[in-house]
Amino acid sequence: MIVAIDGPAASGKSTTAQGVAKKLGFLYLDTGAMYRAVTLAVLEAGVKPSDEAGVETVLGEVTLSFELEDLSTQILLNAKDVSGPIRGLEVTRNVSAVSALLVVREKMVAIQRQIGGGQDSVVEGRDIGTVVFPRAEFKFYVTADYETRAARRQWDLKQLGIERSLQVIVEDLKRRDIKDSQREHSPLTKPEDAIEIDTTKLTIQEQINTIVDSVKSESE
Ligand code: DC
């Protein structure tokens, strides 16, 4: 069974998806982390995200592997754990450009289908309910207003030792939303058959329970 959770950056998707996976005993797959790892590889190779041929070469040269335990998606790039570095500012600023490339998407989607298709999974991203698993049994689209999203992102960055103003974060989020939802391939969009959850005024537990209750009631 697949529970697809899509939505924009910092909408509360990851925390919700992890909590849902824990309660249901499902595998948790963070597809954004995969695009971030490719972006890190591209930047480390000194290749510009706009250089599609260069990115394709990088994709062919690196090995990406995953350790999907303890409700986190640990990503190994050339056997090195890059779970921390993929959250850095450079990667965040460039990930929309890299993830817009068809060559990148095709490779990541194939891996996602292979991992999620084999077991009960909660899969979070931007195109899970529309492209990766269009026949997912459950689809949710998580949103929140900009102020709330920026405050959450500010807190996340603080944990990484990075101080940023709310205004700068809102601008970054808006820029990323535009890029993610206006790209040619698999843009971020709410799947027609998804249930929308606005997390602006919800606690984490409420967000998790909304999804878990809905999955449990429909699976009974
Ligand atoms: O969820 P996140 O912020 O870690 O995702 C990082 C970027 O990866 C996001 O800006 C767009 C891209 N992404 C995507 O294109 N498709 C997905 N399924 C997941 C993420």
Side-chain angles (χ1 to χ4, degrees):
M1 183 192 291
I2 299 284
V3 179
I5 303 183
D6 290 300
S11 56
K13 266 188 336 280
S14 300
T15 315
T16 308
Q18 283 172 357
V20 170
K22 186 171 184 186
K23 278 207 164 176
L24 295 176
F26 284 15
L27 178 91
Y28 163 67
L29 182 61
D30 172 5
T31 62
M34 298 168 68
Y35 291 99
R36 286 173 176 274
V38 174
T39 304
L40 180 66
V42 167
L43 295 175
E44 281 184 349
V47 168
K48 284 209 177 100
S50 55
D51 171 7
E52 187 154 10
V55 170
E56 188 168 9
T57 306
V58 173
L59 269 179
E61 286 170 352
V62 297
T63 54
L64 275 182
S65 51
F66 309 92
E67 282 173 13
L68 304 166
E69 284 155 19
D70 300 329
L71 298 172
S72 64
T73 302
Q74 306 263 62
I75 304 235
L76 308 182
L77 180 63
N78 295 329
K80 194 174 120 210
D81 185 353
V82 291
S83 309
I86 61 170
R87 304 286 157 197
L89 279 183
E90 269 316 285
V91 169
T92 302
R93 288 234 157 109
N94 287 285
V95 66
S96 288
V98 172
S99 62
L101 301 175
L102 188 59
V103 64
V104 174
R105 303 210 69 82
E106 283 178 344
K107 185 154 180 178
M108 294 305 109
V109 169
I111 299 172
Q112 291 156 18
R113 287 188 179 140
Q114 200 185 359
I115 297 174
Q119 55 210 303
D120 289 338
S121 306
V122 178
V123 188
E124 66 144 294
R126 303 290 191 288
D127 60 341
I128 308 306
T130 50
V131 175
V132 185
F133 292 110
R135 297 211 195 135
E137 286 83 349
F138 296 94
K139 296 182 187 179
F140 297 92
Y141 190 77
V142 178
T143 59
D145 65 25
Y146 274 110
E147 229 170 81
T148 307
R149 291 168 60 195
R152 288 175 182 159
R153 180 48 47 92
Q154 191 179 46
W155 191 86
D156 287 345
L157 288 172
K158 213 170 188 165
Q159 308 313 301
L160 298 171
I162 302 166
E163 296 284 345
R164 309 202 85 199
S165 75
L166 284 178
Q167 199 190 337
V168 169
I169 297 176
V170 167
E171 280 161 19
D172 274 354
L173 287 174
K174 286 189 174 166
R175 212 173 305 128
R176 197 134 70 93
D177 282 356
I178 289 171
K179 281 196 187 143
D180 290 347
S181 51
Q182 294 186 354
R183 68 185 179 213
E184 185 185 353
H185 308 293
S186 313
L188 166 68
T189 175
K190 181 184 160 207
E192 268 176 25
D193 46 351
I195 297 172
E196 182 162 346
I197 302 176
D198 182 343
T199 67
T200 305
K201 294 199 169 69
L202 297 182
T203 64
I204 292 171
Q205 261 333 300
E206 285 169 336
Q207 289 161 213
I208 294 168
N209 288 342
T210 305
I211 295 183
V212 169
D213 292 349
S214 157
V215 171
K216 281 192 174 157
S217 69
E218 285 191 42
S219 340
E220 275 162 13

Short mmCIF file of all heavy atoms in Angstrom, two decimals, residues 153-186:
data_model
loop_
_atom_site.label_atom_id
_atom_site.label_comp_id
_atom_site.label_asym_id
_atom_site.label_seq_id
_atom_site.Cartn_x
_atom_site.Cartn_y
_atom_site.Cartn_z
N ARG A 153 10.79 26.63 8.73
CA ARG A 153 12.09 26.52 8.07
C ARG A 153 13.17 27.23 8.90
O ARG A 153 14.29 26.74 9.03
CB ARG A 153 11.98 27.11 6.65
CG ARG A 153 13.23 27.10 5.79
CD ARG A 153 13.98 25.80 5.73
NE ARG A 153 13.21 24.59 5.50
CZ ARG A 153 12.95 24.05 4.33
NH1 ARG A 153 13.36 24.64 3.24
NH2 ARG A 153 12.28 22.92 4.25
N GLN A 154 12.80 28.36 9.51
CA GLN A 154 13.76 29.10 10.34
C GLN A 154 14.23 28.23 11.51
O GLN A 154 15.40 28.19 11.85
CB GLN A 154 13.10 30.38 10.86
CG GLN A 154 14.08 31.34 11.50
CD GLN A 154 13.40 32.60 11.98
OE1 GLN A 154 12.35 32.55 12.61
NE2 GLN A 154 13.98 33.74 11.67
N TRP A 155 13.28 27.51 12.09
CA TRP A 155 13.62 26.63 13.21
C TRP A 155 14.54 25.50 12.74
O TRP A 155 15.55 25.19 13.38
CB TRP A 155 12.32 26.06 13.82
CG TRP A 155 12.56 25.36 15.13
CD1 TRP A 155 12.59 25.93 16.36
CD2 TRP A 155 12.82 23.95 15.32
NE1 TRP A 155 12.85 24.98 17.31
CE2 TRP A 155 13.00 23.75 16.70
CE3 TRP A 155 12.92 22.86 14.46
CZ2 TRP A 155 13.26 22.51 17.24
CZ3 TRP A 155 13.20 21.61 15.00
CH2 TRP A 155 13.36 21.45 16.38
N ASP A 156 14.22 24.91 11.57
CA ASP A 156 15.06 23.84 11.01
C ASP A 156 16.49 24.35 10.79
O ASP A 156 17.46 23.67 11.11
CB ASP A 156 14.53 23.37 9.64
CG ASP A 156 13.26 22.56 9.77
OD1 ASP A 156 12.95 22.11 10.89
OD2 ASP A 156 12.57 22.39 8.74
N LEU A 157 16.60 25.55 10.22
CA LEU A 157 17.92 26.10 9.92
C LEU A 157 18.69 26.38 11.21
O LEU A 157 19.90 26.16 11.28
CB LEU A 157 17.79 27.40 9.11
CG LEU A 157 17.34 27.22 7.65
CD1 LEU A 157 17.06 28.57 7.00
CD2 LEU A 157 18.39 26.47 6.85
N LYS A 158 17.96 26.83 12.22
CA LYS A 158 18.59 27.11 13.52
C LYS A 158 19.26 25.85 14.07
O LYS A 158 20.34 25.89 14.65
CB LYS A 158 17.54 27.62 14.49
CG LYS A 158 18.10 28.62 15.46
CD LYS A 158 17.03 29.29 16.25
CE LYS A 158 17.67 30.40 17.06
NZ LYS A 158 16.76 31.33 17.59
N GLN A 159 18.60 24.71 13.87
CA GLN A 159 19.18 23.44 14.33
C GLN A 159 20.50 23.16 13.62
O GLN A 159 21.35 22.45 14.11
CB GLN A 159 18.23 22.25 14.09
CG GLN A 159 16.81 22.42 14.63
CD GLN A 159 16.80 22.96 16.05
OE1 GLN A 159 17.35 22.35 16.96
NE2 GLN A 159 16.17 24.11 16.24
N LEU A 160 20.63 23.70 12.40
CA LEU A 160 21.87 23.50 11.64
C LEU A 160 22.88 24.62 11.92
O LEU A 160 23.92 24.73 11.27
CB LEU A 160 21.56 23.47 10.13
CG LEU A 160 20.65 22.34 9.63
CD1 LEU A 160 20.28 22.58 8.17
CD2 LEU A 160 21.33 20.98 9.77
N GLY A 161 22.51 25.53 12.85
CA GLY A 161 23.41 26.64 13.20
C GLY A 161 23.33 27.80 12.22
O GLY A 161 24.23 28.64 12.17
N ILE A 162 22.25 27.85 11.43
CA ILE A 162 22.13 28.92 10.42
C ILE A 162 21.03 29.89 10.84
O ILE A 162 19.90 29.49 11.11
CB ILE A 162 21.78 28.32 9.03
CG1 ILE A 162 22.85 27.31 8.61
CG2 ILE A 162 21.63 29.42 7.99
CD1 ILE A 162 22.44 26.43 7.44
N GLU A 163 21.39 31.18 10.91
CA GLU A 163 20.41 32.22 11.28
C GLU A 163 19.93 32.92 10.01
O GLU A 163 20.75 33.42 9.24
CB GLU A 163 21.06 33.27 12.19
CG GLU A 163 21.53 32.75 13.53
CD GLU A 163 20.41 32.50 14.53
OE1 GLU A 163 19.29 32.99 14.32
OE2 GLU A 163 20.67 31.78 15.52
N ARG A 164 18.63 32.98 9.79
CA ARG A 164 18.12 33.70 8.63
C ARG A 164 16.83 34.42 9.01
O ARG A 164 16.06 33.93 9.83
CB ARG A 164 17.82 32.76 7.46
CG ARG A 164 18.95 31.86 7.13
CD ARG A 164 18.84 31.36 5.73
NE ARG A 164 19.42 32.33 4.83
CZ ARG A 164 19.17 32.37 3.53
NH1 ARG A 164 18.33 31.54 3.00
NH2 ARG A 164 19.76 33.25 2.76
N SER A 165 16.61 35.58 8.39
CA SER A 165 15.39 36.33 8.73
C SER A 165 14.18 35.67 8.06
O SER A 165 14.31 35.01 7.01
CB SER A 165 15.51 37.78 8.26
OG SER A 165 15.35 37.83 6.86
N LEU A 166 13.01 35.90 8.66
CA LEU A 166 11.78 35.32 8.10
C LEU A 166 11.54 35.84 6.69
O LEU A 166 11.11 35.10 5.81
CB LEU A 166 10.59 35.67 9.00
CG LEU A 166 10.48 34.87 10.29
CD1 LEU A 166 9.29 35.34 11.11
CD2 LEU A 166 10.33 33.37 10.01
N GLN A 167 11.87 37.12 6.50
CA GLN A 167 11.61 37.72 5.19
C GLN A 167 12.42 37.04 4.08
O GLN A 167 11.90 36.73 3.01
CB GLN A 167 11.98 39.20 5.26
CG GLN A 167 11.35 40.01 4.16
CD GLN A 167 11.94 41.41 4.12
OE1 GLN A 167 12.48 41.90 5.12
NE2 GLN A 167 11.86 42.04 2.96
N VAL A 168 13.70 36.78 4.37
CA VAL A 168 14.56 36.12 3.37
C VAL A 168 14.04 34.70 3.11
O VAL A 168 14.00 34.23 1.97
CB VAL A 168 16.03 36.09 3.87
CG1 VAL A 168 16.88 35.18 3.00
CG2 VAL A 168 16.60 37.50 3.87
N ILE A 169 13.61 34.03 4.17
CA ILE A 169 13.12 32.66 4.00
C ILE A 169 11.84 32.65 3.16
O ILE A 169 11.68 31.82 2.27
CB ILE A 169 12.88 31.98 5.37
CG1 ILE A 169 14.21 31.87 6.13
CG2 ILE A 169 12.26 30.60 5.19
CD1 ILE A 169 14.10 31.32 7.53
N VAL A 170 10.93 33.61 3.42
CA VAL A 170 9.70 33.67 2.63
C VAL A 170 10.04 33.86 1.15
O VAL A 170 9.49 33.20 0.27
CB VAL A 170 8.76 34.81 3.12
CG1 VAL A 170 7.65 35.07 2.12
CG2 VAL A 170 8.16 34.45 4.48
N GLU A 171 11.01 34.74 0.88
CA GLU A 171 11.40 34.98 -0.53
C GLU A 171 11.95 33.70 -1.16
O GLU A 171 11.63 33.36 -2.29
CB GLU A 171 12.44 36.10 -0.61
CG GLU A 171 11.79 37.47 -0.52
CD GLU A 171 12.78 38.55 -0.13
OE1 GLU A 171 14.00 38.34 -0.28
OE2 GLU A 171 12.31 39.61 0.33
N ASP A 172 12.80 32.99 -0.41
CA ASP A 172 13.37 31.72 -0.91
C ASP A 172 12.26 30.70 -1.19
O ASP A 172 12.27 30.01 -2.21
CB ASP A 172 14.32 31.10 0.13
CG ASP A 172 15.74 31.67 -0.01
OD1 ASP A 172 15.98 32.42 -0.97
OD2 ASP A 172 16.59 31.35 0.84
N LEU A 173 11.30 30.62 -0.26
CA LEU A 173 10.21 29.64 -0.43
C LEU A 173 9.38 29.98 -1.66
O LEU A 173 9.01 29.09 -2.45
CB LEU A 173 9.30 29.62 0.81
CG LEU A 173 9.87 28.98 2.08
CD1 LEU A 173 8.91 29.17 3.25
CD2 LEU A 173 10.12 27.48 1.87
N LYS A 174 9.09 31.27 -1.84
CA LYS A 174 8.27 31.68 -2.98
C LYS A 174 8.98 31.37 -4.29
O LYS A 174 8.38 30.86 -5.24
CB LYS A 174 7.95 33.18 -2.91
CG LYS A 174 6.91 33.49 -1.85
CD LYS A 174 6.45 34.92 -1.91
CE LYS A 174 5.31 35.11 -0.91
NZ LYS A 174 5.00 36.51 -0.64
N ARG A 175 10.30 31.64 -4.31
CA ARG A 175 11.09 31.37 -5.51
C ARG A 175 11.04 29.87 -5.84
O ARG A 175 10.85 29.45 -6.96
CB ARG A 175 12.54 31.82 -5.27
CG ARG A 175 13.21 32.31 -6.52
CD ARG A 175 14.59 32.90 -6.25
NE ARG A 175 14.59 33.96 -5.26
CZ ARG A 175 15.38 34.00 -4.19
NH1 ARG A 175 16.24 33.04 -3.95
NH2 ARG A 175 15.32 35.01 -3.34
N ARG A 176 11.20 29.05 -4.78
CA ARG A 176 11.23 27.60 -5.00
C ARG A 176 9.84 27.10 -5.42
O ARG A 176 9.72 26.25 -6.30
CB ARG A 176 11.71 26.90 -3.72
CG ARG A 176 12.16 25.49 -3.96
CD ARG A 176 13.47 25.20 -3.28
NE ARG A 176 13.37 25.16 -1.83
CZ ARG A 176 13.17 24.05 -1.14
NH1 ARG A 176 13.01 22.90 -1.77
NH2 ARG A 176 13.13 24.06 0.16
N ASP A 177 8.77 27.63 -4.81
CA ASP A 177 7.41 27.23 -5.19
C ASP A 177 7.17 27.49 -6.67
O ASP A 177 6.60 26.66 -7.38
CB ASP A 177 6.36 28.03 -4.40
CG ASP A 177 6.20 27.50 -2.98
OD1 ASP A 177 6.83 26.48 -2.65
OD2 ASP A 177 5.43 28.11 -2.22
N ILE A 178 7.60 28.67 -7.12
CA ILE A 178 7.37 29.03 -8.53
C ILE A 178 8.11 28.05 -9.43
O ILE A 178 7.56 27.49 -10.36
CB ILE A 178 7.82 30.49 -8.80
CG1 ILE A 178 6.84 31.44 -8.11
CG2 ILE A 178 7.89 30.78 -10.29
CD1 ILE A 178 7.28 32.90 -8.12
N LYS A 179 9.40 27.80 -9.10
CA LYS A 179 10.19 26.89 -9.93
C LYS A 179 9.59 25.48 -9.91
O LYS A 179 9.48 24.82 -10.94
CB LYS A 179 11.63 26.83 -9.44
CG LYS A 179 12.44 28.02 -9.88
CD LYS A 179 13.93 27.72 -9.70
CE LYS A 179 14.76 28.95 -9.97
NZ LYS A 179 15.90 29.07 -9.08
N ASP A 180 9.22 25.00 -8.72
CA ASP A 180 8.73 23.62 -8.61
C ASP A 180 7.36 23.44 -9.28
O ASP A 180 7.06 22.36 -9.79
CB ASP A 180 8.61 23.21 -7.12
CG ASP A 180 9.98 23.05 -6.45
OD1 ASP A 180 10.99 23.01 -7.18
OD2 ASP A 180 10.03 22.98 -5.21
N SER A 181 6.54 24.50 -9.27
CA SER A 181 5.19 24.31 -9.82
C SER A 181 5.08 24.74 -11.28
O SER A 181 4.08 24.44 -11.92
CB SER A 181 4.14 25.01 -8.95
OG SER A 181 4.52 26.32 -8.74
N GLN A 182 6.10 25.43 -11.78
CA GLN A 182 5.99 25.86 -13.19
C GLN A 182 6.93 25.10 -14.12
O GLN A 182 7.03 25.43 -15.29
CB GLN A 182 6.26 27.36 -13.29
CG GLN A 182 5.18 28.16 -12.58
CD GLN A 182 5.32 29.65 -12.77
OE1 GLN A 182 6.30 30.12 -13.35
NE2 GLN A 182 4.36 30.40 -12.28
N ARG A 183 7.66 24.12 -13.59
CA ARG A 183 8.59 23.41 -14.46
C ARG A 183 7.82 22.52 -15.44
O ARG A 183 6.66 22.17 -15.22
CB ARG A 183 9.57 22.58 -13.62
CG ARG A 183 8.90 21.44 -12.93
CD ARG A 183 9.88 20.71 -12.02
NE ARG A 183 9.19 19.63 -11.34
CZ ARG A 183 9.48 19.22 -10.12
NH1 ARG A 183 10.44 19.78 -9.43
NH2 ARG A 183 8.81 18.22 -9.58
N GLU A 184 8.53 22.15 -16.51
CA GLU A 184 7.88 21.40 -17.59
C GLU A 184 7.55 19.96 -17.15
O GLU A 184 6.47 19.45 -17.41
CB GLU A 184 8.83 21.38 -18.79
CG GLU A 184 8.24 20.73 -20.02
CD GLU A 184 9.26 20.62 -21.14
OE1 GLU A 184 10.38 21.16 -21.01
OE2 GLU A 184 8.94 19.97 -22.16
N HIS A 185 8.50 19.31 -16.48
CA HIS A 185 8.32 17.89 -16.16
C HIS A 185 7.84 17.71 -14.72
O HIS A 185 8.46 18.20 -13.79
CB HIS A 185 9.64 17.13 -16.34
CG HIS A 185 10.26 17.37 -17.68
ND1 HIS A 185 9.68 16.93 -18.85
CD2 HIS A 185 11.38 18.03 -18.03
CE1 HIS A 185 10.44 17.30 -19.86
NE2 HIS A 185 11.47 17.96 -19.40
N SER A 186 6.75 16.99 -14.56
CA SER A 186 6.22 16.65 -13.23
C SER A 186 6.16 17.83 -12.27
O SER A 186 6.74 17.78 -11.19
CB SER A 186 7.08 15.55 -12.59
OG SER A 186 7.31 14.52 -13.48
#
